[in-house]
Amino acid sequence: MRLLALLAVAVLVALPFVVGSYVVTVLIFIFFYAYLGQAWNIVGGYAGQLSAGHAAFVGIGGYAAALLSAHAGLSPWIGMWIGGALAALLGAVIGYLGFRFGLRGFYFVLLTVAFAEICRVVALNVDAVGGALGLYITFTGNPRQFQFQDNRAYYYVALVLMLASTALVRSIERHRFGAYLTAIRQDEGACEALGVDTLRVKMQAMILSSFLTGVGGTFYAFYLFSLQPNAVFGIPLSVEIIIRPIVGGAGTVMGPILGSFILSPLAEISRTYFAQGGWNGAHLIVYGLLLIAVVLFLPQGAYPALLRLARRRP
Amino acid sequence: MSSRNKDTNRRTFLKAAGAAAGATALAGFPAVLRAQAPTFKVGVVHPMTGPLAEPGQACRLGAQMAADAINAAGGIKGLGGAKLELIFGDTQTKPEVGRTEAERVITQGAQMLMGSFDSGSTAAMVPVAQQRRVPFLVDIAAADPITANVAKSVREGQQKVQYVYRNFPTGSSFGRKAVQYFGEVFKEAHVSPKRVVLMYCNDLFGQNNAKGFQAAHAAAKPSWEIVDVIPWPEPPQDLSTEVSRAKAAKPDIIAPITRPASAQLLLPEIRKQRLDIMGIVGPGSPGLYEAGQIAVLKEDLEYVMASTPWANFKNPRTQKVAEDYLKRSGGKTFDTNSGYSYDGMSLIADILERAKSTDPDTIVESMRKTNYANGLMQYAGPIVFDEIGDNPNAVTTMIQILGQKAVAVWPKEAALQKFVFPRPKR
Amino acid sequence: MDPTLIGQGLLSGFLFGGVYSLMAVGLTLIFGVMRVVNFAHGDMMVWGMYLAWMLSVRAGIDPYVGFVVCAVALFLLGLVVQRGLVERIVDAPHEMQILLMLGVALVLENAALVTFGPDPARVRSPLSQATVWLGPIFVDLARLLTFGLAMALTGALWLFLARTDLGRSMRAAADNPYGARVIGTDVRKVYGAAFGVGAACVGAAGALVSPILPFQPTSGLGLSVTSFNIVIIGGMGSLPGAFVGGILVSVAESMGAVFLSPSMKELVSFGLLIAILLFRPAGLFGKTAG
């Protein structure tokens, strides 16, 4: 298994020298969304606390880094950690309010959505952060400003993000923290009865998850060169973040990666196929049907299904 | 309206599918068998789905019609009669998809880009244009920084060449022109309204336009005041309280910046609450002049004025194109979105004619030297690009709905009819 | 502050609350009986609106009459979705439920885009233009009518749940699915009916609201978010909760528009939502928490 993983990584490292810029871009987004999905996976997959407001952390991280870069000349390489910390702060607030007040399941989902929407409306109306116009980053291609003239440099950054987050989640899974998270997802009451401080564990998961997502926000800002409240705090981005780990298998190490490698290329192929025609929206119908199909036929997610398939082979 | 749309879409789809099949078949043959004329591929990327699907689809059709007209007239003679081949992209109104689509169309052979209406997607496409050296004509996008940032980084030596240019009024120019037209119209009508209430949709375009309008007002210091500013979340579900608030400010004029959905709520509400005003004069926004809007709002749109980018209907070519557009779009007006995309494509053809080359830097040189007077939109002069990469001659026109039709009423050179202001009492 | 403005704001907000209530009733029924969160709620409502629009434009049927057709159509859609999809994942993890309904929402939204195009539409009804003036304050008759209909619909649903066998089975299945099975209730049939009836309410709401609210294929998300807000505040599964919640949210937003900047009025409803989630998660009329 380890040999397979190393081989896969080697292929990914070599790929940009073989394929064109378009495929590189598609892969960049596959890696980036896998990273965000992995970050979500910690609190949403393993701990089972479904957050549908993770876009808020992307937004806060991105805005913080962009503002610090524009107004204080602070390199985003440093700004990204500050952005992550601020996102973690919001995560702590949301987590505390949610967990302390005993919000489970759908109620917690809605709490996270409410906070993300509040961030969005505030960002839309506060001129200091750009209002509805948003923030625009000048394209300089200067690596010190977390920008690269060559698309492939972004590829490697995104690849590192994905691999590092996956290694982190794998490590969590193998240690006690991961066991606590899984136990809490399965039966929180029993955990508490056994003396586990579930509030503390859940808070740790939430803070870690939101921190990592906030760091991702900086990548978003300096790859797409603009931050707009509706795009970066909005529900559609939160949805994009969570569907990959869910499709791949929430609470598994490879889930977000597999989900991303399934969904992104299919979305690309579907959109390209329908691009020249007149049926605008057909590609999204296909995408929606795909999500439905995954739920019906792979109800535990793609990765667990793959494992089961592998085990059946003699 | 919807069935015609569907038929048009289906026909377009079948045509395109047939063309795509044909092109794919030809591409499979070795070059020596290819007998057709060379093509120049242009990537045309707009939102086809998502919240901005409606203007995006209009843009694509405008671009397509212009390309068809150019190809029918013999293509680009400066490139040996090369036909324009459009490679379409859908940004889904999302910046990350905009960026990916830009990469995709370039990989499929696009040597120039046009798009993309939504400032977020456009900003995401700028680095692609700069990285891959593909000249990018922004047909519509309001945010000033899109071109200004590129110009700045070229000035500061961080980038060698500016590949991004825009032919559309910037946010600040919208405001300046609106304030100017307000003053001129009031003077011509011999009235002096004092209290203006600015109401706007709180999205990128609305906020940008509103800020520009207020800034221009502060700079010009005219005899009328903006007594209240009322933004609403876009799209709104209810505007009754907003209109009540406007009424409480005792306005002489309501200045709305809308989108089609909010206009459908706002204008009937203004009538229902019996606002006693001289008129509704907008600083410029969609929703106040489209054929579809007139069909829904009817008398509520009558006498409404808006300072908006508009086609020059005094030009007989414009009339012809507008009629064509009416047919091909299933009943829509040839307006800002379709118009600027049409002009954008015509402009690209002109640039290529003068460049006589497919080398990106040569094309950029040709772009900078642009002096194009054959646009269908109303301009204050020929299309040129300034140091930032914008067209200072892209301006707005004051139009008014008269007899359930949108006509240009100011300035005099552009006017097809005399304006009616103040509006008659009901 | 102008007292007329405040008074008008309160009245407008109160009446518009009827619209909100209609939106929320179907959602709360589905959740109350099946504990399923219908993320495709707003998109189903948009289809109800488009059906009403088609009836009005093609057949000249006024939406205040045609809503019955929309209700039936959406009932069938709800039944299909429940039997074909939701039922299969009853035991699957929560996140799969969410993914399923997100997929359904995506399909519905883009099917509407392909079928009807992206332009906003509104249904013209002669009633939607009328107003009545009480001194300086006016009453929007269309909203008054919708308010009355919301009350009637909520009342009818209440009677259905309280007096009919199917309704009682639904309540039994809601309170205790195992127990309901024990006494012989066909829980599967009940769930199907609940989703269908909930969807029918959503379809009727869409039709009744179509003369008041302009709509586009992408309107679904906003309607869903608003409806979820209302249902949580009023209490998941509670019909009076949906009704009162709708009015409360609408009045709060209206006051937000009067006293703050109207572009921030959503903050008022989200703030209210968070307060309810923290201090009374069951909602104003809800029974059990979580």
Side-chain angles (χ1 to χ4, degrees):
Chain A
M1 198 64 189
R2 186 164 295 185
L3 197 62
L4 205 65
L6 276 167
L7 196 64
V9 172
V11 166
L12 289 177
V13 168
L15 220 47
F17 295 100
V18 185
V19 297
S21 189
Y22 165 56
V23 177
V24 168
T25 302
V26 174
L27 284 164
I28 289 175
F29 283 116
I30 291 179
F31 299 159
F32 179 59
Y33 278 116
Y35 167 76
L36 290 179
Q38 206 60 283
W40 178 88
N41 202 13
I42 296 173
V43 74
Y46 284 93
Q49 310 299 314
L50 300 172
S51 157
H54 258 54
F57 308 128
V58 175
I60 290 187
Y63 265 87
L67 286 168
L68 286 169
S69 169
H71 294 307
L74 190 65
S75 165
W77 291 103
I78 303 178
M80 69 167 80
W81 307 109
I82 302 180
L86 287 171
L89 192 61
L90 179 65
V93 168
I94 297 175
Y96 187 73
L97 288 177
F99 306 142
R100 183 74 181 68
F101 285 79
L103 292 178
R104 308 269 170 85
F106 177 66
Y107 293 91
F108 184 71
V109 171
L110 211 60
L111 182 73
T112 57
V113 170
F115 268 97
E117 285 288 288
I118 289 177
C119 288
R120 183 181 65 81
V121 174
V122 168
L124 264 179
N125 287 286
V126 173
D127 283 343
V129 298
L133 198 63
L135 297 176
Y136 292 84
I137 294 170
T138 311
F139 180 69
T140 57
N142 182 350
R144 234 172 279 143
Q145 291 168 354
F146 202 69
Q147 296 185 32
F148 310 100
Q149 191 69 29
D150 193 331
N151 208 16
R152 291 179 291 191
Y154 285 104
Y155 176 94
Y156 289 113
V157 172
L159 182 60
V160 166
L161 284 174
M162 179 178 84
L163 294 174
S165 60
T166 305
L168 178 65
V169 169
R170 189 157 168 277
S171 164
I172 288 177
E173 197 183 52
R174 291 175 157 206
H175 287 78
R176 198 177 300 177
F177 184 54
Y180 284 154
L181 292 177
T182 315
I184 287 175
R185 182 183 75 215
Q186 288 177 345
D187 192 339
E188 192 167 336
C191 281
E192 277 167 15
L194 287 171
V196 175
D197 186 347
T198 57
L199 177 64
R200 197 163 69 107
V201 171
K202 287 198 287 188
M203 283 292 285
Q204 285 169 340
M206 188 69 175
I207 291 174
L208 183 58
S209 175
S210 47
F211 174 75
L212 291 172
T213 311
V215 170
T218 303
F219 183 86
Y220 182 101
F222 287 87
Y223 189 53
L224 293 176
F225 292 88
S226 80
L227 289 166
Q228 264 138 37
N230 286 330
V232 87
F233 285 109
I235 291 174
L237 181 61
S238 287
V239 168
E240 284 295 320
I241 293 176
I242 67 175
I243 54 179
R244 284 162 176 79
I246 295 178
V247 163
T252 66
V253 174
M254 291 303 289
I257 298 182
L258 199 56
S260 202
F261 269 93
I262 293 174
L263 286 181
S264 292
L266 277 161
E268 277 309 305
I269 294 173
S270 168
R271 191 180 341 111
T272 310
Y273 179 78
F274 287 103
Q276 296 292 119
W279 295 68
N280 297 308
H283 62 93
L284 290 172
I285 295 179
V286 170
Y287 197 59
L289 290 173
L290 179 72
L291 296 180
I292 295 175
V294 166
V295 174
L296 292 180
F297 300 115
L298 303 172
Q300 300 298 323
Y303 185 58
L306 213 61
L307 285 179
R308 254 178 289 135
L309 207 66
R311 259 179 239 137
R312 275 209 223 120
R313 299 271 164 82
Chain B
M1 185 165 89
S2 72
S3 77
R4 266 187 289 167
N5 223 343
K6 196 161 74 149
D7 288 340
T8 313
N9 284 342
R10 198 179 282 140
R11 266 187 270 125
T12 316
F13 172 68
L14 287 172
K15 249 192 275 181
T24 318
L26 277 172
F29 281 71
V32 76
L33 284 175
R34 244 180 273 167
Q36 92 265 44
T39 64
F40 185 89
K41 299 192 175 74
V42 180
V44 174
V45 181
H46 294 105
M48 292 290 120
T49 54
L52 290 176
E54 183 258 314
Q57 291 185 12
C59 289
R60 182 187 279 194
L61 186 54
Q64 176 78 75
M65 284 176 57
D68 290 345
I70 292 163
N71 288 343
I76 312 286
K77 296 169 196 71
L79 290 178
K83 305 269 190 209
L84 285 177
E85 187 186 318
L86 304 185
I87 306 182
F88 292 124
D90 171 13
T91 70
Q92 291 177 226
T93 322
K94 289 183 179 178
E96 62 265 25
V97 180
R99 197 215 154 87
T100 312
E101 287 289 87
E103 291 269 11
R104 175 177 67 81
V105 300
I106 294 176
T107 301
Q108 288 180 331
Q111 289 162 286
M112 278 187 81
L113 272 180
M114 192 168 88
S116 71
F117 191 84
D118 156 36
S119 293
S121 303
T122 311
M125 288 162 65
V126 163
V128 180
Q130 293 292 124
Q131 279 169 340
R132 295 183 73 173
R133 297 176 61 228
V134 174
F136 179 15
L137 178 67
V138 177
D139 53 357
I140 303 182
D144 289 44
I146 289 172
T147 38
N149 279 354
V150 185
K152 184 167 132 203
S153 67
V154 169
R155 255 199 329 269
E156 292 172 359
Q158 317 242 26
Q159 290 285 296
K160 274 193 244 110
V161 179
Q162 174 165 354
Y163 288 99
V164 183
Y165 295 87
R166 166 184 19 213
N167 178 38
F168 191 72
T170 57
S172 34
S173 75
F174 261 90
R176 261 180 289 116
K177 274 292 174 205
V179 169
Q180 178 195 329
Y181 288 156
F182 269 50
E184 290 170 0
V185 164
F186 299 161
K187 191 156 157 253
E188 181 81 3
H190 306 296
V191 289
S192 44
K194 290 270 174 291
R195 304 173 66 86
V196 172
V197 169
L198 175 65
M199 306 181 74
Y200 66 93
C201 56
N202 198 29
D203 62 5
L204 191 148
F205 174 77
Q207 225 189 57
N208 200 23
N209 205 352
K211 287 205 187 108
F213 184 69
Q214 290 176 277
H217 174 265
K221 296 201 214 328
S223 62
W224 46 274
E225 282 308 306
I226 300 178
V227 294
D228 200 0
V229 177
I230 304 176
W232 63 76
E234 185 69 28
Q237 283 155 355
D238 171 39
L239 289 176
S240 48
T241 309
E242 282 82 347
V243 173
S244 300
R245 217 174 116 149
K247 186 172 176 184
K250 300 198 199 336
D252 296 318
I253 291 185
I254 299 278
I257 304 175
T258 60
R259 283 218 180 268
S262 41
Q264 287 191 13
L265 270 180
L266 183 70
L267 295 175
E269 199 63 39
I270 291 178
R271 172 183 39 85
K272 277 194 266 192
Q273 297 201 28
R274 301 211 190 140
L275 264 67
D276 185 14
I277 47 179
M278 282 193 206
I280 300 175
V281 188
S285 62
L288 302 174
Y289 49 79
E290 296 88 335
Q293 295 290 102
I294 297 179
V296 171
L297 288 168
K298 299 201 179 28
E299 318 78 47
D300 286 332
L301 259 183
E302 195 71 14
Y303 303 117
V304 169
M305 296 167 82
S307 161
T308 181
W310 194 244
N312 177 7
F313 283 100
K314 282 191 176 171
N315 180 345
R317 270 181 62 222
T318 311
Q319 307 261 23
K320 180 88 190 24
V321 170
E323 275 161 30
D324 258 340
Y325 187 79
L326 190 73
K327 274 187 239 132
R328 279 176 79 159
S329 66
K332 305 219 176 111
T333 321
F334 186 66
D335 61 15
T336 311
N337 305 321
S338 36
Y340 267 96
S341 294
Y342 191 100
D343 270 2
M345 191 54 67
S346 307
L347 187 56
I348 286 181
D350 173 70
I351 290 167
L352 291 171
E353 287 282 7
R354 286 178 290 110
K356 298 205 199 345
S357 154
T358 57
D359 170 61
D361 291 342
T362 314
I363 294 179
V364 165
E365 265 317 295
S366 169
M367 271 174 114
R368 297 173 81 81
K369 295 203 186 91
T370 299
N371 195 302
Y372 184 70
N374 281 344
L376 298 183
M377 303 304 283
Q378 192 81 40
Y379 296 102
I383 298 179
V384 295
F385 293 113
D386 62 15
E387 334 72 60
I388 299 185
D390 292 327
N391 175 9
N393 286 334
V395 292
T396 53
T397 309
M398 186 70 92
I399 59 161
Q400 187 169 32
I401 310 296
L402 292 170
Q404 295 287 283
K405 279 204 169 7
V407 280
V409 294
W410 194 265
K412 288 221 174 96
E413 318 80 81
L416 285 176
Q417 266 181 254
K418 177 95 169 61
F419 62 76
V420 174
F421 185 83
R423 67 178 189 180
K425 298 274 183 203
R426 313 228 163 170
Chain C
M1 251 303 134
D2 186 351
T4 314
L5 177 59
I6 299 179
Q8 183 71 66
L10 281 170
L11 182 61
S12 297
F14 189 81
L15 287 183
F16 196 72
V19 172
Y20 275 1
S21 305
L22 265 180
M23 284 176 12
V25 161
L27 185 66
T28 206
L29 180 68
I30 292 177
F31 184 81
V33 175
M34 301 177 61
R35 295 278 181 275
V36 167
V37 177
N38 183 11
F39 282 97
H41 169 82
D43 294 288
M44 290 167 89
M45 189 164 155
V46 167
W47 267 94
M49 291 161 137
Y50 270 112
L51 285 175
W53 178 81
M54 281 218 298
L55 286 172
S56 167
V57 163
R58 299 292 172 79
I61 300 178
D62 192 282
Y64 292 107
V65 167
F67 75 93
V68 179
V69 177
C70 300
V72 170
L74 267 281
F75 176 83
L76 293 170
L77 176 67
L79 212 58
V80 165
V81 166
Q82 203 281 333
R83 287 285 169 84
L85 303 173
V86 177
E87 196 173 79
R88 307 242 197 118
I89 52 123
V90 144
D91 294 318
H94 270 296
E95 63 263 12
M96 280 303 175
Q97 237 185 51
I98 295 179
L99 192 67
L100 180 73
M101 296 318 286
L102 283 178
V104 171
L106 205 58
V107 170
L108 286 176
E109 176 182 318
N110 286 284
L113 181 65
V114 168
T115 316
F116 303 107
D119 303 321
R122 207 185 66 178
V123 181
R124 280 187 81 89
S125 166
L127 283 160
S128 61
Q129 309 301 316
T131 57
V132 160
W133 285 83
L134 314 165
I137 303 216
F138 86 105
V139 175
D140 189 325
L141 281 182
R143 295 201 188 148
L144 185 61
L145 181 61
T146 314
F147 189 89
L149 287 165
M151 281 205 313
L153 189 66
T154 312
L157 217 56
W158 179 266
L159 283 173
F160 169 74
L161 288 176
R163 300 287 169 82
T164 66
D165 283 339
L166 184 59
R168 275 194 285 259
S169 307
M170 277 188 202
R171 278 164 55 216
D175 285 338
N176 192 339
Y178 182 67
R181 265 196 212 100
V182 163
I183 61 165
T185 314
D186 184 349
V187 175
R188 211 176 137 260
K189 182 178 122 187
V190 166
Y191 280 173
F195 208 95
V197 171
C201 289
V202 172
L208 292 170
V209 153
S210 61
I212 298 180
L213 227 53
F215 49 93
Q216 291 168 282
T218 46
S219 303
L221 181 62
L223 294 172
S224 287
V225 173
T226 308
S227 304
F228 285 134
N229 269 9
I230 295 169
V231 161
I232 294 272
I233 290 172
M236 282 280 218
S238 160
L239 286 182
F243 189 73
V244 171
I247 298 176
L248 185 61
V249 168
S250 180
V251 170
E253 283 189 351
S254 191
M255 288 299 100
V258 167
F259 291 105
L260 307 169
S261 168
S263 63
M264 305 222 262
K265 65 185 178 186
E266 295 159 311
L267 286 181
V268 175
S269 40
F270 282 119
L272 203 60
L273 174 75
I274 291 180
I276 292 274
L277 278 175
L278 298 181
F279 300 113
R280 207 191 143 79
L284 298 172
F285 287 77
K287 279 169 283 186
T288 47

